[in-house]
């Protein structure tokens, strides 16, 4: 590690307040100490213009920290690299082959973009040459069990999804690991 590099650190906070790193991962390019990364939640996609809107959750860029929680317009450069953070996705390699361009983006996904230019406004969209799909977490009630590995979540109480017209989400859990799996199967 060197000063100026961007790292993603998973930490455990001990009772005394000390933080202990569980995992440290280099973000961006190890040769470029000026990488600017923003993470956020996709709210809408316009595949015809190669743009999407997202709400900023993390800001490791030269932009003001006041952009946190703000909606931004993102313009995807021609030839931009699309990738999946496989460490966060528990090495589900099938995701990599399906996340390849603007048509792969969906409202509700968490993505990281590499800022090339722009401030994210309508007048000066944030321009990116890299979009990385990250793990998205949500908590919702099971609406209906469809089969042994598939179920729908009721998102009507999650304003983020209802704002974009999503009332339920179908979950394919065939590659998932479960906590309390015996109770899960018994309840469904």
């Amino acid at each position: 590690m060197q000063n100026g590099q961007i790292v993603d650190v998973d930490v455990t906070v001990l009772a005394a307040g000390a933080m202990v790193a569980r995992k440290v991962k280099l973000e961006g390019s190890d040769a470029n100490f000026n990488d600017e990364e923003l993470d956020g939640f996709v709210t809408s996609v316009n595949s015809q213009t190669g743009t999407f809107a997202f709400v900023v959750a993390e800001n490791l860029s030269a932009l003001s920290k006041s952009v946190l929680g703000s909606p931004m317009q993102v313009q995807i450069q021609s030839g931009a690299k699309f990738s999946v953070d496989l460490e966060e996705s528990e090495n589900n390699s099938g995701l990599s082959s399906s996340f390849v361009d603007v048509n792969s983006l969906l409202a509700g996904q968490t993505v990281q973009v590499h800022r090339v230019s722009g401030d994210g406004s309508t007048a000066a969209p944030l321009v990116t040459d890299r979009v990385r799909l990250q793990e998205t977490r949500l908590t919702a009630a099971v609406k209906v069990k469809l089969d042994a590995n598939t179920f729908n979540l009721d998102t009507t109480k999650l304003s983020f999804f209802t704002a974009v017209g999503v009332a339920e989400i179908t979950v394919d859990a065939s590659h998932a690991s479960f906590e309390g799996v015996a109770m899960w199967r018994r309840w469904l």
Side-chain angles (χ1 to χ4, degrees):
M1 290 179 33
Q2 298 180 28
N3 291 342
Q5 288 179 315
I6 297 174
V7 293
D8 181 11
V9 182
D10 286 352
V11 298
T12 299
V13 180
L14 302 178
M19 292 187 198
V20 177
R22 294 183 302 143
K23 179 177 76 174
V24 178
K25 181 177 94 176
L26 181 66
E27 291 288 344
S29 167
D30 57 350
N32 187 354
F33 290 89
N34 296 315
D35 271 353
E36 294 191 26
E37 309 282 348
L38 292 107
D39 293 10
F41 306 96
V42 176
T43 57
S44 65
V45 180
N46 186 331
S47 56
Q48 286 77 27
T49 62
T51 63
F52 66 94
F54 84 145
V55 175
V56 179
E58 291 185 39
N59 176 21
L60 294 171
S61 75
L63 297 175
S64 164
K65 297 302 177 200
S66 66
V67 302
L68 293 174
S70 300
M72 290 193 147
Q73 295 298 315
V74 180
Q75 176 69 54
I76 303 167
Q77 278 186 343
S78 176
K81 179 181 177 188
F82 280 73
S83 63
V84 176
D85 188 342
L86 291 176
E87 286 182 40
E88 293 296 319
S89 302
E90 297 187 19
N91 294 322
N92 188 346
S93 58
L95 290 173
S96 293
S97 62
S98 64
F99 192 75
V100 295
D101 59 23
V102 68
N103 295 311
S104 306
L105 289 167
L106 299 170
Q109 289 176 322
T110 301
V111 296
Q112 179 184 78
V113 296
H114 174 247
R115 178 179 175 256
V116 174
S117 65
D119 63 10
S121 67
T122 303
L126 187 142
V127 177
T128 186
D129 62 353
R130 183 175 65 229
V131 180
R132 180 180 296 144
L133 180 64
Q134 297 183 312
E135 181 178 68
T136 301
R137 294 176 186 233
L138 65 108
T139 301
V142 174
K143 185 172 186 176
V144 63
K145 179 182 174 189
L146 301 173
D147 61 37
N149 295 311
T150 312
F151 57 93
N152 286 351
L153 294 177
D154 180 358
T155 61
T156 57
K157 293 183 172 67
L158 303 174
S159 62
F160 178 82
F161 289 103
T162 56
V164 293
V166 176
E168 66 183 34
I169 294 174
T170 301
V171 177
D172 174 358
S174 59
H175 294 73
S177 59
F178 293 92
E179 294 178 18
V181 69
M183 292 188 331
W184 182 80
R185 290 205 173 159
R186 187 174 45 219
W187 288 343
L188 293 178

